Amino acid sequence: ALAMTVFFLALGAAPAAVAVAQEMPAPAPTQWHGEYFPNIILQDQDGRDVRFYDDMIRNKVVTINFIYTTCTDICPLDTAQLRVVQQQLGDRLGRDIFMYSISINGDTPETLRRFMRTYDVGPGWRFLTGSKEDVTRLQRLLGLRVDDPNDLRGHSASIVLGNVATAQWIRRAAYESPKNLVELLTVFLQNSA
């Protein structure tokens, strides 16, 4: 049976110093694949429909974060840190590694494009939106705290990195070093299934 290990790495810890915080019981063979992660339909910044499991995470190494485009507190830091990760990944982004930011407050594609322009987001990083119910469900499935969507103060700013094929998932804070995030994405999560 496929076992999923959830890794919560301490801030600033190198990938070699990974601490396993919680070992999950062995699920049914497909639970952590298509039956666990739903094919919720989201819409990207260009208005295209995207299926969460089939299009976004299946057979991919990913980084996923949830944002408020109207946030003036943690989201700008989160986005700026991920912008550095995007630059360091170079042409691997969109080919070997995929970045997704999902709006918590149900933005329109135009609002997502405007947010991307504000942070000079380059190609290979997709911004998505969906219903509040669907976005909340995804947050919970990824083990993230679900906050009051009307309270922008102190909301969860975790970044989730994962590889569905190897059932490895890591949660890191927005304050994480971009260099550490890049190493996790390009080395640690690249193990074959």
Side-chain angles (χ1 to χ4, degrees), residues 69-104:
T69 57
T70 55
C71 175
T72 57
D73 186 23
I74 199 72
C75 293
L77 172 61
D78 198 2
T79 304
Q81 291 289 82
L82 286 174
R83 178 68 177 105
V84 174
V85 170
Q86 179 188 35
Q87 292 169 331
Q88 291 179 7
L89 288 172
D91 65 357
R92 292 189 73 174
L93 189 61
R95 185 188 68 199
D96 301 329
I97 299 162
F98 299 83
M99 289 177 68
Y100 305 111
S101 290
I102 301 173
S103 168
I104 296 171

Side-chain angles (χ1 to χ4, degrees), residues 168-179:
Q168 294 174 293
W169 293 90
I170 302 165
R171 182 173 65 194
R172 300 306 288 251
Y175 310 110
E176 179 63 51
S177 157
K179 181 180 176 184

Side-chain angles (χ1 to χ4, degrees), residues 29-30 67 112 162:
T30 58
I67 61 165
L112 296 176

